C-alpha cells in the first residue's frame, strides 16, 4: 500500500494544484466583473461547478479507484489536459481578469482554503486514492464559494484599506478644491462627461476619468492618482445603483453644478420602480448648493420633474422635442457617414454645428453639456468649435468603415433608446443592405418581452437581416418580426461567434452591419469558460 | 590597469521609451542602436524608460518581443535612477542593495517630449555625464518649430511663412479666430496646414480649407500643445530630408525623398507604420519605410543647396549627434524651404549614410559620436569653474 501511495500521491496532488489554480482564475474573472458582489456572483455560478468536465473526470476516476494507479493516471492526465485546455481568463474573453492587488489577495486566500480543504479531507480519511479523489471533487465543486469565503475573510482588511484611501482622496480634494460637475442619468453619463470635459479643457484645466468610473471606490483611486493642484474643474459621473448611492457619491465629491441627461426605465429590476429611479437621480440635484447650476433634459419628463421639484437651483433646460421654454434647443439633426450636422438655438443666438459623432441621444447629451459649459462661463463659439474634434467613444454608436463595409459598433449600449438611435442612424446612411446583430435589451422586468418585440418590429422595417443572439430575447424577436410580416429577415444564432461567421459568409462591401448591445459575458452562452472558445472575427475591441 | 594598447570597454547606456506619443517608435529605434553598438568600443546597456518615466534595466530589454502585450515584465527588471552627485555617472538601483552600475556614456534615443526636447539632456548635464547628441539648448530649440524657423531665417535659410497663435487666446472667445482666418486667407490662401508648435510626430496636424476647418484644426492642436502654427499648404509639394552628423565639422548626408511625399500629409500612422500595414514592431523599423535615397531626378543644384541649408541650420541651433533636417520643395516654382528639424530622428537616420560618398555604418558613426561626446564633456569639465574673488563671498 505504501508503495502505491508514493506512486500516485505526488502526480495527483500536482494535477489538482494546477487544475484548481486555473479554475480559481476562471471564476475570479466573473467574481471581479460582478464587483465582488457575492449574491450576484453566486446567482451566476448556479450549478456551473456540477457541469465542469473536471468534476465528472473525478467521478470517473473514483469509479476505477479499485485500481489506484489506473485511477491516478486517469485523473492526472485528464486534470492536466483540462487545465491546459481552459482559456486563460487573464488574456482571453471580452472582459479579461485584471490581476489587481485585491484579486491577488482573494485568489491567494482561496487557494490556501482549497489546499486546506483537500489536505484535511485526506487527513481525516485514510491516505488512499479514493478519499483523495473525493477531496478533489469537493474542492472543484466549492471553488466559486471558496472565492466568496476568501473575499469575506478579507473584508475587514479591505474596508480598512479603502477607508484610508478614501481619507487621502478627500484630503486631496480639499487641497485642490476643483469646481465639481456631477452628471447623472439613466443613459449618456459617460459620453456626456467626456464631451463636457472636452469642451471645458479649452477653458481651464479639467479632470475627468476616462471610461465609466462612477463608484466611490473608483473615484477614490481616480482622485488619488490624477487630481493635482491646478485642476479647476472635475467632471464626475454619478451612477445610481439604488436609492442613496448618488447621495453617498455626493457626500464624497460634493457637486457645484449638475447635469441630468435623462431619467428612464433602465435597470428597472434593480430599482423596483420608476419612482425609485426618479428619487435616486434627484439626489444629485438635492446635493447642489443654493443657486447651483442644474441642467436637465426637458425631453425626459422625469428629468424635468427633478428641475421642478428641487427648489433654489439655477435650473437650465435643454431638449429637442420638449414644449417647455428651453434655454438650448436642438434642431435640424442630419446624419452622414462623417458625423452629425445640427443647429443649437439658445435664448440669444443660433449656432450651426457639426460633430463627427453619431446618434440623436448623444447629440442631445452634447446639447446638455454645451448648456452647462456656457452656464459656467465658456464662450459658446469655442464650445461649438470644439464639437468638431470630439472623438467617438469606442463601441458607442461608432461608425467605422472597414474594407468597404460600414460597421456601426454600438456594443456597449444597453437600452432601447440607444437601440432606436442606432437604427435611426443605420436607416439614414447610404448603404446597400443593413444587417443587425443583437441579443436584444435586458433588465426590464415584466416589460422586457414587449420592449424587445417592439424593437424587433422596428428593426424589421430598417434592416434586411437581423441576427438575434442567444436565447434570452429570441422569442420576443421572433414575435416582433412576425408582427412586421418579415419573419424571413430574422435568423437566430447561439453566440456572437456564430453571428460573425454568418457575417463572414453573407455581408458584402457596400453593406452595413449594426452591432447592438453586445451583452457582458454573464448573459451570453459561457463559451470559452471550461473549453477554448473560437476566435471572433471583426472584434477589434 | 589594463594592458597598453587595449582600451577598457565602456558601458554605453542606451535610453529609449519615454513619456511621449512616440514611446513605441523610440523602443524600436533604441533597440536598433543597442544592437548596432561596436562591442570592441563599448558594452551596451539597454535602459527602458516607461511612460511614468521610471528607468529599468534587465536582460529582457534586448528584444522587441518583451515589449509586446503591455510591455516588459517589470518583476524581471531592476528599477534604477541616475546616481546623485555631479560626475558620478552611474545607475543606482532604486531598491535592494545591488551595486551601482557605472556608465561611461549615455546614448539617448528618445523621441518627442521629455526626451528629445532637452529634458533628459538637462538631467544628464546635471549629472555631469557624457552623452551623445544635442545638448539642452539645441534639443529645446529643435522641438519648437516657431523658434527653429526664426533661427533658420536669421541664418539665411528660407522657410514656409507662418502665423502662430496660443491656446490662451481661447479665453477671449473665438473672434480672434475669425481675424486669423481673414489674415490667413489674405496672406496664404486656402488650404493651410495647422500643426502643433512643439511636437515631433504628425499628431494633431490637419489641413484646413475653410474658416470652420481652421478653427477645428486649431482646437485639435490645442489638445496636444499650447501653441499652434498655421502655414500655407503647398499643393504641389515634395519632401526632401537630409541628415547631418556633428563631427569636428558638421557633415551632411545624401538626401532622401519619402515615397509618401506626394500624399497631402503624413499622418501619424503613415509616418510610423510601413506599407502592408506592418507596424514598427519589426526590427527594421524606419529603415523599412519606403523612400528614395539620393533622388537622381532632382537637380544637382537643389540637392547641394539642401545639404548646405541642412548644415547651416544644424550650426545655427548648435546641434550635436545626428539630426535630420526636413525640407519642402514647391513643385511649381522649385523653391526649397526648411520645414523642421528632428534632433533625434528615428533610427538616427542611419540609412542616409549608407550611400556614396560616405558609406558609414551606424556602428562607425556611433563610435565617432561616443568619442566626441567624451571630448565635449571633457571640454566642458575643464572650463574655468574657479569663481573670481568678487564672487567668493565666504572666503
Amino acid at each position: 500500500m505504501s508503495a502505491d501511495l508514493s506512486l500516485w500521491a505526488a502526480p495527483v496532488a500536482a494535477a489538482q494544484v494546477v487544475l484548481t489554480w486555473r479554475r480559481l482564475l476562471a471564476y475570479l474573472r466573473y467574481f471581479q466583473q460582478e464587483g465582488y458582489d457575492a449574491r450576484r456572483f453566486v446567482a451566476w455560478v448556479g450549478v456551473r461547478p456540477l457541469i465542469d468536465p473536471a468534476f465528472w473526470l473525478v467521478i470517473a476516476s473514483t469509479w476505477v479507484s479499485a485500481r489506484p494507479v489506473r485511477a491516478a493516471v486517469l485523473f492526472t492526465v485528464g486534470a492536466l489536459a483540462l487545465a491546459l485546455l481552459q482559456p486563460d481568463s487573464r488574456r482571453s474573453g471580452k472582459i479579461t481578469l485584471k490581476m489587481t492587488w485585491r484579486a491577488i489577495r482573494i485568489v491567494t486566500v482561496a487557494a490556501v482554503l482549497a489546499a486546506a480543504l483537500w489536505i484535511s479531507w485526506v487527513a481525516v480519511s485514510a491516505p488512499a486514492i479514493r478519499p483523495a479523489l473525493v477531496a478533489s471533487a469537493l474542492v472543484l465543486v466549492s471553488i466559486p464559494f471558496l472565492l466568496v469565503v476568501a473575499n469575506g475573510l478579507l473584508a475587514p482588511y479591505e474596508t480598512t484599506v479603502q477607508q484610508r484611501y478614501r481619507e487621502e482622496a478627500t484630503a486631496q480634494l480639499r487641497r485642490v478644491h476643483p469646481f465639481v460637475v456631477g452628471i447623472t442619468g439613466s443613459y449618456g453619463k459617460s459620453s456626456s462627461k467626456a464631451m463636457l470635459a472636452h469642451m471645458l479643457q479649452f477653458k481651464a484645466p479639467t479632470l475627468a476619468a476616462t471610461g465609466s468610473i462612477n463608484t466611490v471606490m473608483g473615484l477614490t483611486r481616480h482622485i488619488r492618482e490624477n487630481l493635482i493642484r491646478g485642476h479647476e474643474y472635475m467632471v464626475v459621473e454619478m451612477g445610481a445603483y439604488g436609492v442613496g448611492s448618488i447621495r453617498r457619491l455626493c457626500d464624497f465629491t460634493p457637486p457645484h453644478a449638475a447635469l441630468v441627461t435623462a431619467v428612464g426605465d433602465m435597470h428597472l429590476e434593480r430599482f423596483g420602480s420608476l419612482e425609485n429611479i426618479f428619487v435616486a437621480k434627484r439626489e444629485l440635484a438635492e446635493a447642489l448648493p443654493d443657486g447651483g447650476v442644474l441642467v436637465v433634459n426637458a425631453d425626459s419628463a422625469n428629468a424635468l420633474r427633478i428641475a421642478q421639484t428641487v427648489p433654489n437651483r439655477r435650473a437650465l433646460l435643454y431638449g429637442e422635442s420638449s414644449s417647455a421654454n428651453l434655454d438650448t434647443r436642438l434642431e435640424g439633426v442630419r446624419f452622414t457617414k462623417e458625423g452629425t450636422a445640427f443647429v443649437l438655438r439658445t435664448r440669444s443666438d443660433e449656432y450651426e454645428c457639426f460633430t463627427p459623432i453619431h446618434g440623436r441621444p448623444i447629440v442631445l447629451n452634447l446639447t446638455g453639456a454645451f448648456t452647462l459649459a456656457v452656464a459656467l462661463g465658456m464662450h459658446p463659439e469655442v464650445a461649438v468649435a470644439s464639437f468638431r474634434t470630439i472623438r467617438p467613444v469606442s463601441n458607442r454608436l461608432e461608425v467605422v468603415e472597414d474594407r468597404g463595409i460600414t460597421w456601426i459598433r454600438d456594443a456597449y449600449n444597453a437600452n432601447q433608446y440607444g437601440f432606436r438611435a442606432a437604427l435611426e442612424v443605420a436607416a439614414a446612411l447610404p448603404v446597400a443592405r443593413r444587417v443587425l446583430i443583437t441579443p436584444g435589451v435586458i433588465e426590464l422586468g415584466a416589460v422586457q418581452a414587449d420592449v424587445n418585440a417592439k424593437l424587433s418590429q422596428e428593426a424589421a422595417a430598417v434592416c434586411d437581416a437581423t441576427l438575434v443572439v442567444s436565447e434570452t430575447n429570441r422569442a420576443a424577436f421572433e414575435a416582433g418580426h412576425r408582427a412586421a410580416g418579415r419573419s424571413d429577415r430574422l435568423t437566430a444564432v447561439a453566440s456572437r461567434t456564430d453571428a460573425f461567421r454568418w457575417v463572414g459568409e453573407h455581408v458584402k462591401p457596400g453593406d452595413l452591419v449594426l452591432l447592438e448591445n453586445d451583452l457582458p459575458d454573464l448573459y451570453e452562452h459561457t463559451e470559452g469558460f471550461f473549453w477554448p472558445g473560437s476566435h471572433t472575427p471583426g472584434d477589434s475591441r | 590597469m589594463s594592458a597598453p594598447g587595449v582600451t577598457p570597454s565602456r558601458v554605453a547606456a542606451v535610453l529609449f521609451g519615454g513619456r511621449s506619443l512616440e514611446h513605441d517608435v523610440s523602443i524600436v529605434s533604441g533597440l536598433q542602436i543597442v544592437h548596432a553598438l561596436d562591442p570592441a568600443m563599448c558594452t551596451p546597456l539597454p535602459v527602458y524608460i516607461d511612460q511614468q518615466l521610471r528607468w529599468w534595466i534587465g536582460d529582457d530589454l534586448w528584444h522587441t518581443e518583451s515589449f509586446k502585450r503591455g510591455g516588459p515584465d517589470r518583476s524581471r527588471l531592476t528599477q534604477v535612477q541616475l546616481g546623485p552627485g555631479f560626475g558620478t555617472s552611474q545607475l543606482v538601483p532604486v531598491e535592494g542593495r545591488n551595486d551601482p552600475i557605472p556608465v561611461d556614456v549615455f546614448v539617448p534615443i528618445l523621441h518627442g517630449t521629455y526626451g528629445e526636447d532637452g529634458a533628459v539632456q538637462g538631467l544628464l548635464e546635471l549629472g555631469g555625464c557624457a552623452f551623445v547628441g544635442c545638448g539642452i539648448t539645441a534639443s529645446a530649440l529643435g522641438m519648437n518649430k516657431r523658434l527653429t524657423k526664426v533661427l533658420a531665417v536669421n541664418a539665411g535659410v528660407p522657410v514656409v511663412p507662418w502665423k502662430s497663435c496660443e491656446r490662451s487666446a481661447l479665453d477671449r472667445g473665438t473672434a480672434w479666430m475669425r481675424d486669423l482666418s481673414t489674415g490667413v486667407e489674405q496672406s496664404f490662401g486656402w488650404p493651410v496646414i495647422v500643426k502643433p508648435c512643439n511636437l515631433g510626430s504628425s499628431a494633431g496636424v490637419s489641413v484646413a480649407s475653410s474658416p470652420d476647418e481652421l478653427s477645428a484644426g486649431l482646437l485639435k492642436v490645442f489638445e496636444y500643445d499650447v501653441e499652434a502654427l498655421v502655414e500655407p499648404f503647398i499643393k504641389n509639394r515634395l519632401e526632401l530630408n537630409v541628415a547631418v552628423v556633428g563631427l569636428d565639422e558638421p557633415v551632411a548626408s545624401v538626401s532622401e525623398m519619402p515615397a509618401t511625399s506626394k500624399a497631402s500629409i503624413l499622418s501619424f500612422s503613415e509616418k510610423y507604420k510601413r506599407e502592408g500595414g506592418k507596424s514598427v514592431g519589426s526590427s527594421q523599423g524606419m529603415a523599412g519605410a519606403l523612400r528614395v535615397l539620393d533622388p537622381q531626378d532632382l537637380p544637382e543644384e537643389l540637392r547641394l543647396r539642401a545639404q548646405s541649408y541642412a548644415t547651416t541650420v544644424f550650426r545655427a541651433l548648435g546641434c550635436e549627434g545626428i539630426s535630420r533636417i526636413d525640407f519642402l520643395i514647391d513643385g511649381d516654382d522649385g523653391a526649397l524651404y526648411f520645414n523642421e528639424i528632428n534632433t533625434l530622428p528615428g533610427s538616427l537616420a542611419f540609412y542616409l549614410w549608407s550611400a556614396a560618398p560616405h558609406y558609414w555604418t551606424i556602428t562607425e558613426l556611433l563610435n565617432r559620436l561616443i568619442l566626441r561626446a567624451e571630448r565635449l564633456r571633457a571640454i566642458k569639465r575643464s572650463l574655468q569653474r574657479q569663481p573670481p574673488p568678487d564672487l567668493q563671498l565666504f572666503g
Side-chain angles (χ1 to χ4, degrees):
Chain A
M1 192 68 199
S2 66
D4 270 348
L5 185 75
S6 64
L7 266 178
W8 59 258
V12 164
Q16 180 66 34
V17 166
V18 175
L19 182 63
T20 306
W21 181 249
R22 302 284 289 179
R23 290 298 196 252
L24 275 171
L25 292 180
Y27 282 106
L28 181 61
R29 159 159 46 143
Y30 290 85
F31 195 24
Q32 187 174 56
Q33 266 180 47
E34 288 290 18
Y36 302 112
D37 180 327
R39 220 157 38 90
R40 289 168 73 95
F41 175 62
V42 170
W44 172 80
V45 170
V47 295
R48 204 163 254 109
L50 294 179
I51 57 164
D52 185 346
F55 175 71
W56 291 101
L57 169 76
V58 181
I59 301 294
S61 308
T62 319
W63 200 259
V64 298
S65 59
R67 308 272 297 272
V69 174
R70 182 182 294 184
V73 169
L74 177 63
F75 174 78
T76 307
V77 173
L80 287 176
L82 285 172
L84 289 177
L85 271 175
Q86 181 200 304
D88 189 339
S89 57
R90 287 166 295 183
R91 285 184 186 85
S92 69
K94 276 186 291 183
I95 304 170
T96 55
L97 170 64
K98 313 283 182 303
M99 287 310 269
T100 59
W101 281 112
R102 183 171 183 191
I104 292 171
R105 281 195 293 269
I106 291 174
V107 78
T108 309
V109 172
V112 170
L113 291 174
L117 179 62
W118 197 84
I119 291 169
S120 53
W121 185 273
V122 174
V124 299
S125 322
I129 185 80
R130 186 184 281 264
L133 289 172
V134 172
S136 296
L138 214 59
V139 167
L140 279 169
V141 171
S142 51
I143 279 175
F145 310 104
L146 292 178
L147 287 170
V148 172
V149 172
N151 187 46
L153 290 175
L154 286 164
Y157 174 75
E158 301 293 347
T159 312
T160 319
V161 171
Q162 287 175 13
Q163 187 58 36
R164 201 179 66 231
Y165 285 165
R166 219 185 123 158
E167 280 160 12
E168 281 176 28
T170 306
Q172 179 66 358
L173 203 57
R174 242 182 247 129
R175 273 192 292 271
V176 178
H177 199 65
F179 185 96
V180 176
V181 180
I183 299 185
T184 194
S186 299
Y187 46 84
K189 289 187 291 290
S190 299
S191 65
S192 301
K193 174 183 65 179
M195 293 187 296
L196 180 60
H198 176 81
M199 285 176 223
L200 287 177
Q201 70 171 327
F202 298 114
K203 182 169 190 295
T206 301
L207 179 69
T210 51
S212 338
I213 292 178
N214 59 11
T215 60
V216 171
M217 240 4 259
L219 271 175
T220 298
R221 183 170 176 188
H222 176 59
I223 289 170
R224 286 177 61 242
E225 289 178 359
N226 300 309
L227 185 67
I228 51 171
R229 278 209 172 98
H231 275 134
E232 286 184 26
Y233 293 104
M234 185 166 90
V235 186
V236 179
E237 183 180 336
M238 307 249 179
Y241 292 93
V243 173
S245 63
I246 289 186
R247 186 174 304 130
R248 276 191 295 279
L249 278 165
C250 291
D251 287 345
F252 181 50
T253 52
H256 302 96
L259 170 62
V260 182
T261 60
V263 178
D265 52 8
M266 256 58 64
H267 310 296
L268 195 57
E269 280 179 353
R270 206 180 289 164
F271 283 93
S273 73
L274 191 58
E275 191 59 22
N276 281 348
I277 298 179
F278 164 73
V279 170
K281 308 280 183 205
R282 193 176 59 184
E283 290 169 0
L284 175 59
E286 288 165 347
L288 290 180
D290 275 358
V293 172
L294 170 65
V295 175
V296 301
N297 174 8
D299 286 0
S300 163
N302 281 307
L304 184 59
R305 192 148 68 95
I306 289 178
Q308 290 160 344
T309 55
V310 182
N312 301 325
R313 304 288 179 267
R314 190 185 154 208
L316 298 172
L317 307 182
Y318 71 95
E320 184 182 20
S321 56
S322 168
S323 57
N325 184 7
L326 300 181
D327 293 274
T328 315
R329 185 175 289 278
L330 170 65
E331 295 173 352
V333 174
R334 279 180 298 117
F335 301 111
T336 65
K337 278 188 187 174
E338 291 72 36
T340 310
F342 57 98
V343 173
L344 290 184
R345 187 184 299 281
T346 64
R347 292 192 186 276
S348 53
D349 274 299
E350 183 184 305
Y351 302 95
E352 293 275 347
C353 309
F354 178 83
T355 182
I357 52 179
H358 287 88
R360 201 173 289 272
I362 200 169
V363 175
L364 191 58
N365 292 338
L366 182 58
T367 309
F370 167 85
T371 309
L372 181 47
V374 172
L376 299 186
M378 179 152 197
H379 283 277
E381 298 94 350
V382 177
V384 169
S386 76
F387 292 171
R388 284 180 178 267
T389 54
I390 293 176
R391 282 179 209 82
V393 177
S394 160
N395 288 297
R396 299 265 188 191
L397 232 171
E398 180 190 19
V399 179
V400 184
E401 290 274 321
D402 186 17
R403 278 159 285 185
I405 298 169
T406 305
W407 292 81
I408 302 184
R409 296 209 192 115
D410 199 24
Y412 287 178
N413 165 59
N415 65 69
Q416 51 173 320
Y417 309 100
F419 201 125
R420 291 209 169 85
L423 282 177
E424 185 190 8
V425 174
L429 299 185
V431 291
R433 295 183 310 156
R434 297 173 179 84
V435 176
L436 166 67
I437 300 178
T438 186
V441 291
I442 52 151
E443 280 202 343
L444 288 176
V447 297
Q448 179 159 327
D450 291 346
V451 168
N452 278 289
K454 189 89 204 322
L455 287 172
S456 166
Q457 194 174 345
E458 291 170 33
V462 172
C463 300
D464 304 273
T466 295
L467 304 182
V468 57
V469 183
S470 92
E471 290 291 336
T472 319
N473 290 312
R474 180 180 294 179
F477 264 72
E478 282 166 355
H481 266 65
R482 209 163 37 242
R486 292 287 192 179
S487 289
D488 56 313
R489 291 185 164 187
L490 185 73
T491 309
V493 291
S495 67
R496 66 201 295 274
T497 310
D498 291 346
F500 277 102
R501 193 174 301 129
W502 191 97
V503 166
E505 287 162 6
H506 294 86
V507 173
K508 295 184 178 60
D511 291 350
L512 176 149
V513 181
L514 167 56
L515 277 177
E516 183 61 35
N517 189 18
D518 208 337
L519 299 178
D521 285 13
L522 305 194
Y523 299 97
E524 212 189 301
H525 181 57
T526 53
E527 185 174 34
F529 189 74
F530 298 128
W531 305 98
S534 45
H535 173 69
T536 312
D539 181 19
S540 51
R541 194 179 296 165
Chain B
M1 278 301 284
S2 53
V6 178
T7 317
S9 183
R10 300 163 174 80
V11 172
V14 180
L15 311 180
F16 57 87
R19 188 181 171 85
S20 86
L21 299 175
E22 293 150 287
H23 169 266
D24 293 1
V25 185
S26 162
I27 293 172
V28 177
S29 285
L31 288 181
Q32 282 178 327
I33 301 307
V34 164
H35 292 284
L37 282 168
D38 185 355
M41 176 82 160
C42 58
T43 311
L45 175 68
V47 180
Y48 169 57
I49 304 180
D50 67 18
Q51 302 268 13
Q52 280 69 47
L53 294 182
R54 292 172 301 198
W55 294 25
W56 302 89
I57 57 172
D59 290 342
D60 283 1
L61 298 179
W62 285 79
H63 316 288
T64 26
E65 273 304 308
S66 316
F67 293 90
K68 293 178 179 163
R69 286 178 296 276
D73 181 355
R74 308 288 151 89
S75 66
R76 294 164 53 88
L77 303 177
T78 307
Q79 195 187 342
V80 295
Q81 58 190 9
L82 190 64
F86 185 80
T88 51
S89 193
Q90 57 188 13
L91 293 176
V92 184
V94 171
E95 288 169 2
R97 293 166 179 224
N98 291 334
D99 291 335
I101 302 146
V103 174
D104 298 283
V105 61
F106 287 85
V107 188
I109 308 291
L110 297 155
H111 307 316
T113 42
Y114 301 106
E116 192 175 351
D117 59 357
V120 159
Q121 290 74 11
L123 179 68
L124 295 172
E125 286 286 6
L126 282 175
C129 309
F131 62 93
V132 168
C134 290
I136 301 172
T137 316
S139 301
L141 286 171
M143 185 57 68
N144 187 308
K145 294 194 179 84
R146 180 172 53 82
L147 292 176
T148 335
K149 275 173 185 279
V150 170
L151 286 170
V153 170
N154 195 44
V157 175
V159 302
V160 179
W162 78 95
K163 288 180 187 297
S164 78
C165 52
E166 288 181 16
R167 180 172 144 146
S168 55
L170 287 177
D171 299 345
R172 308 194 306 266
T174 52
W176 64 272
M177 281 196 195
R178 283 192 285 277
D179 298 343
L180 179 70
S181 252
T182 315
V184 157
E185 196 168 336
Q186 281 166 2
S187 329
F188 305 156
W190 303 105
V192 291
I193 287 193
V194 194
K195 58 187 180 186
C197 180
N198 293 298
L199 276 186
S201 68
S202 312
V205 183
S206 63
V207 177
S209 305
S210 65
D212 271 352
E213 286 180 15
L214 176 63
S215 55
L218 289 172
L219 288 191
K220 189 175 172 191
V221 168
F222 291 150
E223 286 180 46
Y224 294 92
D225 196 2
V226 292
E227 183 173 357
L229 296 189
V230 183
E231 297 173 359
F233 181 82
I234 300 171
K235 288 173 206 84
N236 186 12
R237 65 205 241 137
L238 291 170
E239 292 181 18
L240 193 69
N241 302 342
V242 176
V244 175
V245 60
L247 302 175
D248 293 337
E249 284 291 309
V251 180
S253 73
V254 295
S255 50
E256 63 155 336
M257 207 180 258
T260 46
S261 60
K262 290 244 171 66
S264 64
I265 192 163
L266 272 176
S267 77
F268 190 77
S269 57
E270 270 178 287
K271 202 160 180 173
Y272 289 126
K273 288 190 176 172
R274 292 178 304 135
E275 204 187 42
K278 206 171 168 191
S279 73
V280 287
S282 116
S283 61
Q284 272 191 299
M286 295 295 289
L290 290 179
R291 59 169 59 84
V292 183
L293 270 192
D294 204 11
Q296 294 302 315
D297 55 337
L298 274 190
E300 171 81 1
E301 183 276 328
L302 202 60
R303 282 183 280 151
L304 290 175
R305 194 142 50 93
Q307 288 177 322
S308 149
Y309 284 166
T311 48
T312 305
V313 171
F314 191 90
R315 272 183 218 271
L317 267 69
C319 293
E320 284 293 337
I322 295 176
S323 293
R324 200 190 69 220
I325 292 97
D326 298 354
F327 296 91
L328 292 176
I329 301 168
D330 188 336
D332 291 336
D333 58 8
L336 179 70
Y337 300 105
F338 162 73
N339 187 30
E340 62 178 55
I341 182 168
N342 285 282
T343 54
L344 256 166
S347 312
L348 290 183
F350 71 81
Y351 46 88
L352 284 174
W353 308 96
S354 62
H358 307 298
Y359 294 112
W360 283 329
T361 63
I362 184 67
T363 305
E364 286 171 286
L365 278 171
L366 284 165
N367 279 353
R368 288 164 182 250
L369 291 176
I370 286 172
L371 291 175
R372 183 163 172 84
E374 290 174 344
R375 188 177 130 84
L376 290 177
R377 191 214 2 205
I379 290 174
K380 227 177 267 174
R381 196 70 72 80
S382 59
L383 293 178
Q384 187 56 255
R385 290 283 168 220
Q386 186 66 30
D390 56 328
L391 289 180
Q392 293 183 24
L393 304 183
F394 301 106

